[in-house]
Amino acid sequence: MLPLSWPEFQCIHPFAPLDQVEGYHQLLNRLGKWLCEITGMSQITFQPNSGAAGEYTGLYIIHKYHESKNEHQRKIVLIPSSAHGTNPASAAMAGLKVVVINCDDNGNIDFNDLKEKANQYKEELSCLMLTYPSTHGVFEEQVKDIIDYVHSLGAQVYMDGANMNAQVGLTSPGTIGVDVCHLNLHKTFAIPHGGGGPGSGPVCVAEHLVEFLPTHPLAAVGGQKGGTAVSASPWGSALIAEISYAYIAMLGAEGLAEATKYAIFNANYMAARLKKKFKILYTGKNGFVAHEMIIDCREFKKMADVSEIDIAKRLMDYGFHAPTVSFPVHGTLMVEPTESESKQELDRFIDAMFAIYEEIEEIASDKYPKNDNVLKNAPHTAAHVASDSWAHPYSRQKAAFPLSWIQENKFWPACGRTDDAFGDRNLVCSCSPIDEYRKSL
Ligand SMILES: *Cc1c(COP(=O)(O)O)cnc(C)c1O
């Protein structure tokens, strides 16, 4: 990360003349080649600054392709119901119409539903947007047949590459026959993106789409039949691309494949242990997940009036940042351990989840009331636990130090429970009223 603060990287204007930024371009060209090799694609554009911007760009490229064949009417995008919310949003932004495809009980795309709808709209079909492995955390076995089918109708296949962490070095979008995909360099290729930025969502395309890559008015990028720019800068977030460059350069081909194996292995280790107490919502035919798992929390609501949010908040008392909540299925937690955590850390997380399970059982058996317990009051701040008055039916020790190792390494949440969506629904203007300014003059 340190070299990013060097002026040689940091102080370059995106429109600097090419002969002054040859080093940068060596780097970007090399990174582009690596990413094309990893995805099995032919060319790349670095313009998009996020996964969502990549989706928009990919759909735009596909639209230009159809236009070149005089098929302007192809404006329907098939999107499985398990897709990330950005997929339909990007389609709408690109002026396309969304048709939702159902998923079956195992979380896979319902192939019959897809065939039916694809046929119904076959003249207008632009593409299928597919997430692989799916957001349900499973490698779909029929993926190649699905792609072949969509191609047979003259439509294209866009792959949402947010889950590439489960593919790099083992398989690729090119292998399964995808035409366009984005990469989230800030997910799969090590760019830290806590708190919403910065992102980089380059788009890779197969040979027949290279000429439709987006252009830019101030730099010679993109294809001959490409559309207008999709980002202010011709190479997008070029600065942070160096992080992905370094990550790939240091790991090498073998290290990248190893990282993917560990990501899948860690997820399956965790799923195998957690399933003793929790229901893992979707697994493949052989009982395995890909790189992430969905933990079903809905039965706890009936058992003890405990929701997935309560578990997420309680995890903070155990020192863990909450995982993804209620996506892609309501009432669940989605956990993606990645390759980065040690086995000790995975075990600590599992121990915390087991301990929380016991806390839920205590509530279910009426040991603690449903409206005043460690889960409903989580997270517990230092001020709360150390205050002179304590009226809860459980001890302060139980609130703050539920497992022995937490005493040695306690993380104190800075603020207590807030009503999650309240702030979203009730706009609070924090500006002073205009009269305040009059007084201060
Ligand atoms: C994160 C994600 C996106 C969107 O990427 P951003 O970079 O956040 O815009 C799209 N699809 C899936 C499956 C994702 O996980």
Side-chain angles (χ1 to χ4, degrees), residues 50-53 55 84 86-87 131 135 160 162-163 182 184 186-187:
S50 71
E55 292 163 20
H84 194 265
T86 50
N87 289 190
T131 307
T135 55
D160 179 326
N163 293 342
H182 78 255
N184 300 65
H186 50 284
K187 288 180 180 169

Side-chain angles (χ1 to χ4, degrees), residues 27-91:
L27 239 132
L28 285 171
N29 288 339
R30 214 175 282 162
L31 176 62
K33 280 212 183 79
W34 289 339
L35 295 175
C36 285
E37 194 178 329
I38 286 167
T39 52
M41 295 279 155
S42 296
Q43 258 304 347
I44 189 165
T45 169
F46 281 104
Q47 281 193 47
N49 289 307
S50 71
E55 292 163 20
Y56 172 82
T57 307
L59 294 171
Y60 188 37
I61 291 167
I62 291 173
H63 186 62
K64 284 279 164 197
Y65 166 80
H66 288 315
E67 265 188 357
S68 79
K69 305 177 110 191
N70 270 328
E71 300 200 316
H72 304 258
Q73 83 288 359
R74 288 193 177 269
K75 286 199 167 173
I76 290 201
V77 186
L78 303 178
I79 301 182
S81 60
S82 59
H84 194 265
T86 50
N87 289 190
S90 302

